[in-house]
Amino acid sequence: MNPSSITAVLGEHLVDASEAAHCLNLPMYLLTHPKERQRLGIPHYRVGKLVRFKLQELEAWMLAQGGASNA
């Protein structure tokens, strides 16, 4: 399956923690540490052993947190 058909199936491009942190100005540790993701309820997807994020879901999560980008 090529990347474009994966995007068509999922409806949105998945990004890794580094790209998500850079795009949304979030501290990297919030996205890379499982206990932090769970504690804060950060939306993420497991793709095998990899963790990926949808930027729109992270933006919505940030708004729900009161817009605080540095939790």
Side-chain angles (χ1 to χ4, degrees):
M1 207 177 217
N2 66 33
S4 61
S5 50
I6 291 172
T7 301
V9 170
L10 297 174
E12 186 178 339
H13 181 67
L14 295 175
V15 298
D16 64 11
S18 176
E19 187 173 350
H22 176 75
C23 290
L24 299 173
N25 196 27
L26 289 169
M28 185 78 158
Y29 75 90
L30 291 181
L31 303 176
T32 57
H33 289 80
K35 288 183 180 181
E36 289 298 318
R37 287 194 310 264
Q38 183 178 13
R39 180 178 72 85
L40 297 170
I42 296 174
H44 64 281
Y45 297 88
R46 300 279 310 180
V47 181
K49 292 183 178 182
L50 305 175
V51 177
R52 295 294 184 254
F53 305 89
K54 290 184 178 181
L55 292 177
Q56 287 182 337
E57 288 182 358
L58 287 176
E59 289 172 351
W61 172 80
M62 288 171 61
L63 289 173
Q65 303 304 307
S69 62
N70 293 332

